Amino acid sequence: MPFTADDPIEADVHLGSMHLINVKAFLERESLITEGKRVDRRTKVLDVGDDGATKYAILSHRWVGEEVDYGEMVELAKMAVEERDEIRQRDGYRKILQSCKLAQKDGYEKLWVDTCCIDKRSSAELSEAINSMYRWYENAKVCYAYLHDVPDPCFPTANDKERYPRFRGWPEWFSRGWTLQELIAPKNVQFLNENWQRIGDKRALAPTLRNITGVPEHILIHGLHGNRPCVAQIMSWAARRTTTRVEDRAYSLMGLLDVNMPMLYGEGKKAFHRLQLEIIRASNDQSIFAWGYGVAGVRTGSILAGDPWHFWRCGEMELMGDDEFIEYLKEYATGAELDSVEDRLGTFPITNRGIQIWMPLCGFRTLFHAWLPCRFRPRDPPVTIPLSLWESNYYRCPVSYYFGTTGPEGPLRFHQVYLRYQDPSHRSTTFKIDDSALTENGFTCSDTYPEEFTGDTLTLTSTDSLCIKVYSNNLTNEWFGVGLGLCFGKDWIHAFDEPNTIPRLSRESYIASEYFDMMIRTPESALCRPVSLEQPGSFGFHPSYGGAQE
């Protein structure tokens, strides 16, 4: 919860204020220490200021090595010489010193640095700072972006994977989650190399920055005010970035997405789940559901994405106006279906059953396309997402290729549905395979798809939920496949033969096609009982459950 002026830990900090380094006081203290002179222990180097009324500079940097925290900054003059000198030798302290010198040269009396201007001993102050941070960067007169791994006197304009193999060929600053808002929020961003030389500013470097980050040039130059893209596009900018704490994958996006929520370090990936629910409460932007295209390892479950990475293909996504969306639907839906559609598109409340929403659906039995009023790029048709119907609720399907902008299969109907944002219970299933009778009849296991396994057992989980085992008879040149699957905690088995007519696809491509067909129909298969397969001879695929929960 927000801290107040009565907070017992920091009585002088109140809503809307921030700790700021007093540049002159800090540099004078450092000069006295360097010259071996006496330092007044009562000198304050951190002041409290209002970000809306104070003229200040701000530092953006990558944390490297040991940094200097709030307590060390405040108490430095009171420390023993050995302890004080150890702190002053740190790279983190040298960054503060150099940025203070730069701020003073540019005429700024105040400077904010995240390492030492937040008292992290106070969870209330930490939460308030993180929720305010986008605004703090936005209100800064200048942001110094320190690139600690750039030795050259000019900004890198070409990808260099030899120098930066871990960061997609660019300096590390561009790979971090928090620096995304630190790039976008300030109007004036000055880039500095490892020697603190200026190597460019954001406005002049906008074309190059667009190439590195995926953020459009007009956003880099003018910011998000009156120019905010859809949620999915903003998420895509963070898709390839990393953070030390998994929760910061979500917390670092709050300012960009204009939401606030309390910090709960320790909640792990649930933070990104909470972030999406807060966005839904504040917005009717359905592009938040348009994730997953081209992403492997997505399981059937929550309508919410598990990570910003799931939006990585949404860099050009945009919302469609209601009139344009409805006009497109007229090609596939009757006039009666479109009555009052505009009113239905307005809100989608969150309930304990799921997200209650009206959606245009087409499909059969348990598998549906849901159309969203957004598109991948200008002039594209609306995006569709795959949904599975299970026990009266709708879940996201895992197959990425089933997602896209294809036309409807069957009649288009508007339905009020509940999209589950809670994951169903998942368990693992181990199949015990006895195919000895097959080998006696000339059949041997020739391949598995998508992954090989050996022995007589196969364990499926919620993320590895389907495997095909292929049997061939070299003498008769016959073959068939067996699919073993798991969905919503239920196992299923499906066999398919070699087609009567030779397909245009190779056998490997045909088996891959069968795999994906089984995958998209896995909820329907799970509704049926596991079957006992009869092929030449007899053999059994028997599921067993170890009670493993995920």
PDB file of all heavy atoms in Angstrom, residues 91-119:
ATOM      1  N   ASP A  91      32.193  -0.113  -8.664  1.00  0.00           N
ATOM      2  CA  ASP A  91      31.741   0.442  -9.942  1.00  0.00           C
ATOM      3  C   ASP A  91      30.438   1.208  -9.770  1.00  0.00           C
ATOM      4  O   ASP A  91      30.224   2.237 -10.438  1.00  0.00           O
ATOM      5  CB  ASP A  91      31.539  -0.688 -10.967  1.00  0.00           C
ATOM      6  CG  ASP A  91      32.860  -1.290 -11.424  1.00  0.00           C
ATOM      7  OD1 ASP A  91      33.898  -0.625 -11.273  1.00  0.00           O
ATOM      8  OD2 ASP A  91      32.835  -2.426 -11.937  1.00  0.00           O
ATOM      9  N   GLY A  92      29.575   0.727  -8.871  1.00  0.00           N
ATOM     10  CA  GLY A  92      28.311   1.407  -8.634  1.00  0.00           C
ATOM     11  C   GLY A  92      28.490   2.817  -8.096  1.00  0.00           C
ATOM     12  O   GLY A  92      27.745   3.737  -8.454  1.00  0.00           O
ATOM     13  N   TYR A  93      29.481   2.999  -7.225  1.00  0.00           N
ATOM     14  CA  TYR A  93      29.754   4.338  -6.691  1.00  0.00           C
ATOM     15  C   TYR A  93      30.353   5.229  -7.764  1.00  0.00           C
ATOM     16  O   TYR A  93      30.020   6.419  -7.861  1.00  0.00           O
ATOM     17  CB  TYR A  93      30.713   4.232  -5.511  1.00  0.00           C
ATOM     18  CG  TYR A  93      30.914   5.541  -4.778  1.00  0.00           C
ATOM     19  CD1 TYR A  93      30.060   5.930  -3.750  1.00  0.00           C
ATOM     20  CD2 TYR A  93      31.973   6.406  -5.111  1.00  0.00           C
ATOM     21  CE1 TYR A  93      30.246   7.127  -3.077  1.00  0.00           C
ATOM     22  CE2 TYR A  93      32.171   7.604  -4.449  1.00  0.00           C
ATOM     23  CZ  TYR A  93      31.296   7.966  -3.429  1.00  0.00           C
ATOM     24  OH  TYR A  93      31.471   9.163  -2.773  1.00  0.00           O
ATOM     25  N   ARG A  94      31.225   4.652  -8.615  1.00  0.00           N
ATOM     26  CA  ARG A  94      31.828   5.462  -9.677  1.00  0.00           C
ATOM     27  C   ARG A  94      30.767   5.957 -10.660  1.00  0.00           C
ATOM     28  O   ARG A  94      30.874   7.061 -11.197  1.00  0.00           O
ATOM     29  CB  ARG A  94      32.889   4.645 -10.437  1.00  0.00           C
ATOM     30  CG  ARG A  94      33.936   3.952  -9.571  1.00  0.00           C
ATOM     31  CD  ARG A  94      34.614   4.878  -8.591  1.00  0.00           C
ATOM     32  NE  ARG A  94      35.385   5.929  -9.247  1.00  0.00           N
ATOM     33  CZ  ARG A  94      36.018   6.899  -8.600  1.00  0.00           C
ATOM     34  NH1 ARG A  94      35.941   6.977  -7.270  1.00  0.00           N
ATOM     35  NH2 ARG A  94      36.701   7.805  -9.270  1.00  0.00           N
ATOM     36  N   LYS A  95      29.737   5.148 -10.889  1.00  0.00           N
ATOM     37  CA  LYS A  95      28.640   5.586 -11.767  1.00  0.00           C
ATOM     38  C   LYS A  95      27.917   6.788 -11.157  1.00  0.00           C
ATOM     39  O   LYS A  95      27.580   7.750 -11.862  1.00  0.00           O
ATOM     40  CB  LYS A  95      27.649   4.441 -11.994  1.00  0.00           C
ATOM     41  CG  LYS A  95      28.066   3.452 -13.056  1.00  0.00           C
ATOM     42  CD  LYS A  95      26.945   2.485 -13.395  1.00  0.00           C
ATOM     43  CE  LYS A  95      26.653   1.538 -12.256  1.00  0.00           C
ATOM     44  NZ  LYS A  95      25.730   0.444 -12.657  1.00  0.00           N
ATOM     45  N   ILE A  96      27.668   6.731  -9.864  1.00  0.00           N
ATOM     46  CA  ILE A  96      26.988   7.847  -9.201  1.00  0.00           C
ATOM     47  C   ILE A  96      27.849   9.105  -9.276  1.00  0.00           C
ATOM     48  O   ILE A  96      27.367  10.205  -9.582  1.00  0.00           O
ATOM     49  CB  ILE A  96      26.672   7.494  -7.737  1.00  0.00           C
ATOM     50  CG1 ILE A  96      25.696   6.315  -7.670  1.00  0.00           C
ATOM     51  CG2 ILE A  96      26.097   8.703  -6.995  1.00  0.00           C
ATOM     52  CD1 ILE A  96      25.496   5.762  -6.277  1.00  0.00           C
ATOM     53  N   LEU A  97      29.145   8.933  -9.029  1.00  0.00           N
ATOM     54  CA  LEU A  97      30.069  10.072  -9.059  1.00  0.00           C
ATOM     55  C   LEU A  97      30.117  10.697 -10.458  1.00  0.00           C
ATOM     56  O   LEU A  97      29.995  11.922 -10.614  1.00  0.00           O
ATOM     57  CB  LEU A  97      31.461   9.617  -8.625  1.00  0.00           C
ATOM     58  CG  LEU A  97      32.581  10.667  -8.689  1.00  0.00           C
ATOM     59  CD1 LEU A  97      32.252  11.862  -7.799  1.00  0.00           C
ATOM     60  CD2 LEU A  97      33.916  10.037  -8.290  1.00  0.00           C
ATOM     61  N   GLN A  98      30.271   9.874 -11.477  1.00  0.00           N
ATOM     62  CA  GLN A  98      30.372  10.400 -12.837  1.00  0.00           C
ATOM     63  C   GLN A  98      29.065  11.046 -13.296  1.00  0.00           C
ATOM     64  O   GLN A  98      29.075  12.076 -13.984  1.00  0.00           O
ATOM     65  CB  GLN A  98      30.771   9.274 -13.796  1.00  0.00           C
ATOM     66  CG  GLN A  98      32.183   8.740 -13.592  1.00  0.00           C
ATOM     67  CD  GLN A  98      33.242   9.803 -13.822  1.00  0.00           C
ATOM     68  OE1 GLN A  98      33.096  10.685 -14.664  1.00  0.00           O
ATOM     69  NE2 GLN A  98      34.330   9.724 -13.049  1.00  0.00           N
ATOM     70  N   SER A  99      27.936  10.455 -12.920  1.00  0.00           N
ATOM     71  CA  SER A  99      26.653  11.035 -13.336  1.00  0.00           C
ATOM     72  C   SER A  99      26.396  12.351 -12.598  1.00  0.00           C
ATOM     73  O   SER A  99      25.796  13.278 -13.164  1.00  0.00           O
ATOM     74  CB  SER A  99      25.512  10.039 -13.109  1.00  0.00           C
ATOM     75  OG  SER A  99      25.462   9.578 -11.781  1.00  0.00           O
ATOM     76  N   CYS A 100      26.881  12.477 -11.358  1.00  0.00           N
ATOM     77  CA  CYS A 100      26.765  13.756 -10.637  1.00  0.00           C
ATOM     78  C   CYS A 100      27.616  14.833 -11.316  1.00  0.00           C
ATOM     79  O   CYS A 100      27.179  15.989 -11.454  1.00  0.00           O
ATOM     80  CB  CYS A 100      27.191  13.594  -9.179  1.00  0.00           C
ATOM     81  SG  CYS A 100      25.920  12.902  -8.103  1.00  0.00           S
ATOM     82  N   LYS A 101      28.816  14.470 -11.730  1.00  0.00           N
ATOM     83  CA  LYS A 101      29.664  15.439 -12.428  1.00  0.00           C
ATOM     84  C   LYS A 101      29.008  15.892 -13.729  1.00  0.00           C
ATOM     85  O   LYS A 101      29.042  17.078 -14.086  1.00  0.00           O
ATOM     86  CB  LYS A 101      31.033  14.822 -12.721  1.00  0.00           C
ATOM     87  CG  LYS A 101      31.896  14.612 -11.484  1.00  0.00           C
ATOM     88  CD  LYS A 101      33.243  14.000 -11.874  1.00  0.00           C
ATOM     89  CE  LYS A 101      34.150  13.832 -10.646  1.00  0.00           C
ATOM     90  NZ  LYS A 101      35.453  13.211 -11.009  1.00  0.00           N
ATOM     91  N   LEU A 102      28.403  14.943 -14.437  1.00  0.00           N
ATOM     92  CA  LEU A 102      27.743  15.273 -15.690  1.00  0.00           C
ATOM     93  C   LEU A 102      26.525  16.158 -15.448  1.00  0.00           C
ATOM     94  O   LEU A 102      26.291  17.133 -16.167  1.00  0.00           O
ATOM     95  CB  LEU A 102      27.333  13.981 -16.403  1.00  0.00           C
ATOM     96  CG  LEU A 102      26.819  14.100 -17.834  1.00  0.00           C
ATOM     97  CD1 LEU A 102      27.885  14.713 -18.740  1.00  0.00           C
ATOM     98  CD2 LEU A 102      26.403  12.729 -18.357  1.00  0.00           C
ATOM     99  N   ALA A 103      25.749  15.836 -14.406  1.00  0.00           N
ATOM    100  CA  ALA A 103      24.570  16.636 -14.086  1.00  0.00           C
ATOM    101  C   ALA A 103      24.967  18.061 -13.714  1.00  0.00           C
ATOM    102  O   ALA A 103      24.328  19.036 -14.140  1.00  0.00           O
ATOM    103  CB  ALA A 103      23.784  15.982 -12.952  1.00  0.00           C
ATOM    104  N   GLN A 104      26.027  18.187 -12.909  1.00  0.00           N
ATOM    105  CA  GLN A 104      26.491  19.518 -12.523  1.00  0.00           C
ATOM    106  C   GLN A 104      26.948  20.315 -13.752  1.00  0.00           C
ATOM    107  O   GLN A 104      26.630  21.513 -13.887  1.00  0.00           O
ATOM    108  CB  GLN A 104      27.640  19.405 -11.524  1.00  0.00           C
ATOM    109  CG  GLN A 104      28.079  20.740 -10.952  1.00  0.00           C
ATOM    110  CD  GLN A 104      29.214  20.582  -9.959  1.00  0.00           C
ATOM    111  OE1 GLN A 104      30.297  20.111 -10.313  1.00  0.00           O
ATOM    112  NE2 GLN A 104      28.964  20.968  -8.708  1.00  0.00           N
ATOM    113  N   LYS A 105      27.642  19.660 -14.648  1.00  0.00           N
ATOM    114  CA  LYS A 105      28.095  20.321 -15.865  1.00  0.00           C
ATOM    115  C   LYS A 105      26.922  20.802 -16.709  1.00  0.00           C
ATOM    116  O   LYS A 105      26.985  21.866 -17.338  1.00  0.00           O
ATOM    117  CB  LYS A 105      28.963  19.353 -16.671  1.00  0.00           C
ATOM    118  CG  LYS A 105      29.512  19.931 -17.962  1.00  0.00           C
ATOM    119  CD  LYS A 105      30.371  18.909 -18.699  1.00  0.00           C
ATOM    120  CE  LYS A 105      30.898  19.481 -20.012  1.00  0.00           C
ATOM    121  NZ  LYS A 105      31.718  18.473 -20.747  1.00  0.00           N
ATOM    122  N   ASP A 106      25.821  20.041 -16.701  1.00  0.00           N
ATOM    123  CA  ASP A 106      24.634  20.397 -17.482  1.00  0.00           C
ATOM    124  C   ASP A 106      23.703  21.350 -16.742  1.00  0.00           C
ATOM    125  O   ASP A 106      22.638  21.702 -17.265  1.00  0.00           O
ATOM    126  CB  ASP A 106      23.870  19.129 -17.877  1.00  0.00           C
ATOM    127  CG  ASP A 106      24.626  18.309 -18.912  1.00  0.00           C
ATOM    128  OD1 ASP A 106      25.557  18.841 -19.530  1.00  0.00           O
ATOM    129  OD2 ASP A 106      24.275  17.120 -19.103  1.00  0.00           O
ATOM    130  N   GLY A 107      24.073  21.727 -15.507  1.00  0.00           N
ATOM    131  CA  GLY A 107      23.290  22.711 -14.763  1.00  0.00           C
ATOM    132  C   GLY A 107      22.162  22.150 -13.928  1.00  0.00           C
ATOM    133  O   GLY A 107      21.236  22.879 -13.557  1.00  0.00           O
ATOM    134  N   TYR A 108      22.250  20.866 -13.545  1.00  0.00           N
ATOM    135  CA  TYR A 108      21.197  20.258 -12.715  1.00  0.00           C
ATOM    136  C   TYR A 108      21.700  20.104 -11.282  1.00  0.00           C
ATOM    137  O   TYR A 108      22.789  19.573 -11.053  1.00  0.00           O
ATOM    138  CB  TYR A 108      20.781  18.897 -13.273  1.00  0.00           C
ATOM    139  CG  TYR A 108      20.186  19.003 -14.652  1.00  0.00           C
ATOM    140  CD1 TYR A 108      20.936  18.621 -15.775  1.00  0.00           C
ATOM    141  CD2 TYR A 108      18.908  19.494 -14.846  1.00  0.00           C
ATOM    142  CE1 TYR A 108      20.413  18.733 -17.046  1.00  0.00           C
ATOM    143  CE2 TYR A 108      18.379  19.607 -16.124  1.00  0.00           C
ATOM    144  CZ  TYR A 108      19.130  19.228 -17.216  1.00  0.00           C
ATOM    145  OH  TYR A 108      18.601  19.340 -18.476  1.00  0.00           O
ATOM    146  N   GLU A 109      20.878  20.521 -10.335  1.00  0.00           N
ATOM    147  CA  GLU A 109      21.251  20.439  -8.929  1.00  0.00           C
ATOM    148  C   GLU A 109      20.808  19.132  -8.288  1.00  0.00           C
ATOM    149  O   GLU A 109      21.295  18.776  -7.213  1.00  0.00           O
ATOM    150  CB  GLU A 109      20.652  21.621  -8.156  1.00  0.00           C
ATOM    151  CG  GLU A 109      21.172  22.980  -8.633  1.00  0.00           C
ATOM    152  CD  GLU A 109      20.528  24.129  -7.862  1.00  0.00           C
ATOM    153  OE1 GLU A 109      19.638  23.859  -7.028  1.00  0.00           O
ATOM    154  OE2 GLU A 109      20.917  25.292  -8.100  1.00  0.00           O
ATOM    155  N   LYS A 110      19.889  18.424  -8.926  1.00  0.00           N
ATOM    156  CA  LYS A 110      19.353  17.179  -8.364  1.00  0.00           C
ATOM    157  C   LYS A 110      19.506  16.050  -9.373  1.00  0.00           C
ATOM    158  O   LYS A 110      19.394  16.248 -10.587  1.00  0.00           O
ATOM    159  CB  LYS A 110      17.870  17.323  -7.992  1.00  0.00           C
ATOM    160  CG  LYS A 110      17.552  18.528  -7.111  1.00  0.00           C
ATOM    161  CD  LYS A 110      18.150  18.394  -5.720  1.00  0.00           C
ATOM    162  CE  LYS A 110      17.753  19.609  -4.851  1.00  0.00           C
ATOM    163  NZ  LYS A 110      18.379  19.540  -3.509  1.00  0.00           N
ATOM    164  N   LEU A 111      19.720  14.849  -8.846  1.00  0.00           N
ATOM    165  CA  LEU A 111      19.888  13.660  -9.680  1.00  0.00           C
ATOM    166  C   LEU A 111      19.215  12.474  -8.986  1.00  0.00           C
ATOM    167  O   LEU A 111      19.332  12.324  -7.762  1.00  0.00           O
ATOM    168  CB  LEU A 111      21.378  13.364  -9.890  1.00  0.00           C
ATOM    169  CG  LEU A 111      21.733  12.036 -10.567  1.00  0.00           C
ATOM    170  CD1 LEU A 111      21.375  12.080 -12.052  1.00  0.00           C
ATOM    171  CD2 LEU A 111      23.227  11.714 -10.389  1.00  0.00           C
ATOM    172  N   TRP A 112      18.536  11.659  -9.765  1.00  0.00           N
ATOM    173  CA  TRP A 112      17.922  10.438  -9.212  1.00  0.00           C
ATOM    174  C   TRP A 112      18.619   9.223  -9.793  1.00  0.00           C
ATOM    175  O   TRP A 112      18.794   9.117 -11.009  1.00  0.00           O
ATOM    176  CB  TRP A 112      16.436  10.376  -9.542  1.00  0.00           C
ATOM    177  CG  TRP A 112      15.701   9.265  -8.828  1.00  0.00           C
ATOM    178  CD1 TRP A 112      15.162   9.311  -7.583  1.00  0.00           C
ATOM    179  CD2 TRP A 112      15.416   7.943  -9.331  1.00  0.00           C
ATOM    180  NE1 TRP A 112      14.568   8.111  -7.263  1.00  0.00           N
ATOM    181  CE2 TRP A 112      14.714   7.250  -8.326  1.00  0.00           C
ATOM    182  CE3 TRP A 112      15.701   7.289 -10.531  1.00  0.00           C
ATOM    183  CZ2 TRP A 112      14.283   5.934  -8.476  1.00  0.00           C
ATOM    184  CZ3 TRP A 112      15.285   5.972 -10.683  1.00  0.00           C
ATOM    185  CH2 TRP A 112      14.567   5.312  -9.668  1.00  0.00           C
ATOM    186  N   VAL A 113      19.027   8.308  -8.914  1.00  0.00           N
ATOM    187  CA  VAL A 113      19.652   7.036  -9.295  1.00  0.00           C
ATOM    188  C   VAL A 113      18.920   5.938  -8.542  1.00  0.00           C
ATOM    189  O   VAL A 113      18.827   5.989  -7.303  1.00  0.00           O
ATOM    190  CB  VAL A 113      21.159   7.016  -8.971  1.00  0.00           C
ATOM    191  CG1 VAL A 113      21.786   5.691  -9.390  1.00  0.00           C
ATOM    192  CG2 VAL A 113      21.868   8.183  -9.643  1.00  0.00           C
ATOM    193  N   ASP A 114      18.432   4.929  -9.236  1.00  0.00           N
ATOM    194  CA  ASP A 114      17.567   3.934  -8.600  1.00  0.00           C
ATOM    195  C   ASP A 114      18.254   3.148  -7.493  1.00  0.00           C
ATOM    196  O   ASP A 114      17.605   2.739  -6.523  1.00  0.00           O
ATOM    197  CB  ASP A 114      16.998   2.965  -9.646  1.00  0.00           C
ATOM    198  CG  ASP A 114      18.078   2.250 -10.447  1.00  0.00           C
ATOM    199  OD1 ASP A 114      19.250   2.627 -10.349  1.00  0.00           O
ATOM    200  OD2 ASP A 114      17.722   1.298 -11.184  1.00  0.00           O
ATOM    201  N   THR A 115      19.553   2.922  -7.595  1.00  0.00           N
ATOM    202  CA  THR A 115      20.225   2.086  -6.603  1.00  0.00           C
ATOM    203  C   THR A 115      20.230   2.699  -5.214  1.00  0.00           C
ATOM    204  O   THR A 115      20.089   1.998  -4.212  1.00  0.00           O
ATOM    205  CB  THR A 115      21.680   1.817  -7.034  1.00  0.00           C
ATOM    206  OG1 THR A 115      22.357   3.074  -7.180  1.00  0.00           O
ATOM    207  CG2 THR A 115      21.733   1.059  -8.332  1.00  0.00           C
ATOM    208  N   CYS A 116      20.387   4.018  -5.147  1.00  0.00           N
ATOM    209  CA  CYS A 116      20.584   4.654  -3.841  1.00  0.00           C
ATOM    210  C   CYS A 116      19.492   5.645  -3.455  1.00  0.00           C
ATOM    211  O   CYS A 116      19.535   6.211  -2.352  1.00  0.00           O
ATOM    212  CB  CYS A 116      21.943   5.365  -3.798  1.00  0.00           C
ATOM    213  SG  CYS A 116      22.098   6.725  -4.983  1.00  0.00           S
ATOM    214  N   CYS A 117      18.522   5.873  -4.311  1.00  0.00           N
ATOM    215  CA  CYS A 117      17.477   6.854  -4.005  1.00  0.00           C
ATOM    216  C   CYS A 117      16.160   6.207  -3.586  1.00  0.00           C
ATOM    217  O   CYS A 117      15.151   6.899  -3.438  1.00  0.00           O
ATOM    218  CB  CYS A 117      17.241   7.765  -5.208  1.00  0.00           C
ATOM    219  SG  CYS A 117      18.638   8.880  -5.532  1.00  0.00           S
ATOM    220  N   ILE A 118      16.152   4.899  -3.411  1.00  0.00           N
ATOM    221  CA  ILE A 118      14.992   4.185  -2.885  1.00  0.00           C
ATOM    222  C   ILE A 118      15.440   3.426  -1.649  1.00  0.00           C
ATOM    223  O   ILE A 118      16.392   2.639  -1.700  1.00  0.00           O
ATOM    224  CB  ILE A 118      14.424   3.185  -3.912  1.00  0.00           C
ATOM    225  CG1 ILE A 118      14.085   3.867  -5.235  1.00  0.00           C
ATOM    226  CG2 ILE A 118      13.191   2.490  -3.348  1.00  0.00           C
ATOM    227  CD1 ILE A 118      13.706   2.894  -6.337  1.00  0.00           C
ATOM    228  N   ASP A 119      14.779   3.662  -0.530  1.00  0.00           N
ATOM    229  CA  ASP A 119      15.087   2.920   0.684  1.00  0.00           C
ATOM    230  C   ASP A 119      14.340   1.597   0.627  1.00  0.00           C
ATOM    231  O   ASP A 119      13.169   1.496   1.001  1.00  0.00           O
ATOM    232  CB  ASP A 119      14.673   3.726   1.918  1.00  0.00           C
ATOM    233  CG  ASP A 119      15.140   3.065   3.212  1.00  0.00           C
ATOM    234  OD1 ASP A 119      15.678   1.946   3.135  1.00  0.00           O
ATOM    235  OD2 ASP A 119      14.948   3.659   4.290  1.00  0.00           O
TER     236      ASP A 119
END
